[in-house]
Amino acid sequence: KHDLDQALSDAFHAHSANSYAIHALYFGMLLALAAYNLLLYVALRERVFLHYVIFVIAVGVGIGSIYGLAGQYLWPDAVAWSNRALVVAFAITGIVGPLFTRDFLGTARVAPRWHWWLGLGACLHAGVLLVGLFAPLRVAMQVMSATTMFGCVLMLGCGIACAMRGAPGARLFVLAWAVILVGGLLMALRN
């Protein structure tokens, strides 16, 4: 029995160490992306880079909240906030994601109707932010999940429409964002 307990303990510690290494690499890459784009924003003063920085940081906080790492390392004494940080972080991604999409794809010129819908999506997520801050947590999670699905479909649809219209960078946008948008959609469906 003692050998089995020791083997299980060793396996758990090895898994934990590997998990922390993967998370450290992931969050390190997010910080590097955020820092690089912040430098681009400071140098070029183009809003698209600032939107991307906010998006990346919010995704990091959201993912960190899912795994309990944000609460453990960023606000260990704020348990109530740890429970809300997930909704708040993903509401912020829902606000700046469409704004980034508008700026990156130039939807005001290329796709004015999509531009309007993206603005509506950002406003909708501003409401989700308020729900995340003040509504019961279960309600906030459900609202976040539903609106995340809407936002993911909206941004991916806009990217595809802009690619079909020959917008510069639209194909790259669809390729790069399809993974994260599909991931967000799957998370929302799971919730």
Side-chain angles (χ1 to χ4, degrees):
K1 174 148 170 66
H2 177 69
D3 291 339
L4 178 61
D5 289 341
Q6 186 61 43
L8 290 174
S9 178
D10 291 346
F12 174 76
H13 288 298
H15 175 73
S16 293
N18 290 338
S19 178
Y20 276 112
I22 290 168
H23 283 115
L25 181 63
Y26 177 76
F27 290 113
M29 289 188 312
L30 284 181
L31 283 173
L33 272 172
Y36 176 71
N37 281 278
L38 184 60
L39 289 174
L40 287 174
Y41 172 71
V42 168
L44 303 174
R45 294 287 181 207
E46 291 190 30
R47 198 174 45 194
V48 68
F49 296 114
L50 184 59
H51 288 149
Y52 191 70
V53 168
I54 296 168
F55 183 86
V56 167
I57 291 170
V59 165
V61 170
I63 298 295
S65 296
I66 288 172
Y67 291 106
L69 299 171
Q72 183 178 356
Y73 293 109
L74 299 178
W75 42 78
D77 297 325
V79 175
W81 171 246
S82 284
N83 293 330
R84 293 207 175 266
L86 171 67
V87 178
V88 169
F90 285 126
I92 291 169
T93 65
I95 295 168
V96 296
L99 299 177
F100 171 82
T101 302
R102 286 168 62 155
D103 288 345
F104 186 81
L105 296 176
T107 56
R109 181 181 45 78
V110 175
R113 283 195 178 137
W114 283 102
H115 187 79
W116 184 86
W117 279 104
L118 289 166
L120 180 65
C123 290
L124 176 68
H125 281 90
V128 174
L129 179 61
L130 293 175
V131 169
L133 289 170
F134 301 111
L137 189 59
R138 185 165 193 246
V139 171
M141 291 290 286
Q142 291 170 339
V143 169
M144 179 205 64
S145 295
T147 57
T148 296
M149 287 189 289
F150 170 75
C152 290
V153 170
L154 178 67
M155 288 185 282
L156 192 56
C158 178
I160 292 168
C162 288
M164 291 171 56
R165 294 176 184 171
R171 287 185 181 159
L172 178 63
F173 175 88
V174 170
L175 179 65
W177 282 72
V179 174
I180 196 165
L181 296 177
V182 168
L185 185 61
L186 290 174
M187 184 183 80
L189 288 170
R190 183 201 68 195
N191 289 342

